[in-house]
Amino acid sequence: MDNRNREQIIADFQAKRAQKEILVGVGAGTGITAKSSEAGGADMLIIYNSGRYRMAGRGSLAGLLSYGDANQIVMDMGHEVLPVVQHTPVLAGVCGTDPFRVMKIYLQQLQAQGFSGVQNFPTVGLIDGVFRQNLEETGMGYDLEVDMIRQAHELGMLTTPYVFDPEQATKMAEAGADLLVAHMGLTTKGSIGAETALTLDESVKKVQAILDAGRKVNPDIMVICHGGPIAEPQDAQYVIDRVDGIDGFFGASSIERFAAEKGIKQQTEAFKKITK
């Protein structure tokens, strides 16, 4: 388990930034994903309920539906992941709109368990239309996620929230976020990926707008991209080449799900090719 504090982790990230090294975050749904991602050089690991659903063969959006207690699932996953990680910060995906948690107490429980920080997931940022409007009107809106990040920051936790537009980037930066994850929507490709998504060029413009908004509040805030059509290493390279000032990439489906789908299929096919 990584025992560094927020300041030490940020100093490490800033040193990598100064060396022109990109930051790579990995959404880990299992202990083997976390262990293997650390071996591959991941800079941070994030665990949240969608990781469990994703690695069970369900779409990541299952994490936004009423299939389980998201915040309890994260604590359960922590028992699996935290003991196998040696030197990489592990962050908890926190459902900031959870009406059955006293958020400060829950965040302190995550700290005591060994989590270095938090991210806002499940997030209503992925919901739009009348349903999203109704959530906002009935006290279950995105601002609760901003409040959660603010409380985590005050507790000295690393904060890496998902943001979906410049306004949210501004709010999260003002709340003390250390790193913004510019979310482009559900990841495409693979067996359970989305088919409706932005283009890479649209993502470039959107990520840049989010980055610019965050840097207006805090010139030192870090920004990485995630999701939508940014599914493969070449996609991330395309975006990183074209967004001025971006710091890296966060992958969940694009790292653990793709690796599992491709690797297991190919290994099975290789064994099936054995002849008598």
Side-chain angles (χ1 to χ4, degrees):
M1 188 174 73
D2 187 352
N3 292 314
R4 292 175 299 167
N5 61 31
R6 170 182 171 272
E7 289 72 23
Q8 291 170 322
I9 295 169
I10 291 174
D12 177 52
F13 288 176
Q14 290 175 337
K16 290 177 179 178
R17 173 198 255 180
Q19 294 296 319
K20 306 294 185 183
E21 181 181 341
I22 72 160
L23 299 175
V24 175
V26 177
T30 66
I32 193 64
T33 297
K35 191 173 184 178
S36 300
S37 298
E38 181 174 62
D43 297 293
M44 68 195 97
L45 300 166
I46 298 94
I47 63 177
Y48 45 82
N49 68 332
S50 271
R52 172 163 290 181
Y53 295 127
R54 178 170 55 241
M55 297 310 286
R58 277 70 175 181
S60 294
L61 290 183
L64 272 67
L65 298 174
S66 55
Y67 302 145
D69 180 343
N71 284 330
Q72 184 58 51
I73 287 171
V74 165
M75 296 191 80
D76 294 341
M77 292 172 72
H79 296 308
E80 177 180 345
V81 170
L82 289 165
V84 300
V85 174
Q86 302 299 316
H87 52 76
T88 308
V90 179
L91 288 79
V94 175
C95 180
T97 59
D98 187 344
F100 300 101
R101 291 288 193 285
V102 176
M103 192 50 62
K104 184 176 180 179
I105 294 175
Y106 177 66
L107 293 172
Q108 290 170 329
Q109 291 172 337
L110 293 174
Q111 274 187 305
Q113 190 175 352
F115 285 99
S116 299
V118 297
Q119 184 175 66
N120 55 324
F121 194 91
T123 172
V124 299
L126 281 167
I127 300 171
D128 57 16
V130 174
F131 183 43
R132 170 63 178 278
Q133 184 177 344
N134 290 162
L135 287 172
E136 298 286 346
E137 292 168 348
T138 54
M140 291 176 279
Y142 187 84
D143 283 349
L144 287 178
E145 299 177 27
V146 177
D147 288 340
M148 181 274 291
I149 292 296
R150 181 178 292 107
Q151 291 183 64
H153 174 73
E154 291 170 354
L155 289 170
M157 303 181 82
L158 184 71
T159 51
T160 67
Y162 279 138
V163 295
F164 298 83
D165 58 44
E167 180 183 357
Q168 293 175 359
T170 298
K171 287 183 177 181
M172 285 296 192
E174 290 174 344
D178 300 303
L179 182 152
L180 301 178
V181 183
H183 201 309
M184 298 297 106
L186 189 63
T187 301
T188 60
K189 303 181 182 178
S191 65
I192 51 175
E195 295 184 12
T196 303
L198 299 170
T199 66
L200 281 172
D201 286 327
E202 288 170 337
S203 295
V204 167
K205 293 177 182 178
K206 192 171 181 180
V207 173
Q208 187 71 66
I210 287 171
L211 184 152
D212 292 343
R215 294 265 166 87
K216 282 182 181 178
V217 177
N218 176 7
D220 294 324
I221 201 168
M222 293 169 277
V223 181
I224 61 178
C225 58
H226 168 72
I230 316 171
E232 301 280 1
Q234 60 268 28
D235 302 325
Q237 184 73 66
Y238 186 93
V239 173
I240 289 168
D241 284 345
R242 289 162 176 78
V243 176
D244 183 30
I246 195 168
D247 295 298
F249 168 75
F250 170 61
S253 292
S254 54
I255 293 182
E256 70 170 354
R257 175 167 67 82
F258 287 8
E261 287 178 347
K262 295 175 183 177
I264 294 171
K265 178 176 180 290
Q266 290 170 1
Q267 189 77 338
T268 303
E269 290 171 344
F271 276 105
K272 284 294 290 183
K273 290 179 181 177
I274 294 174
T275 57
K276 294 182 179 179

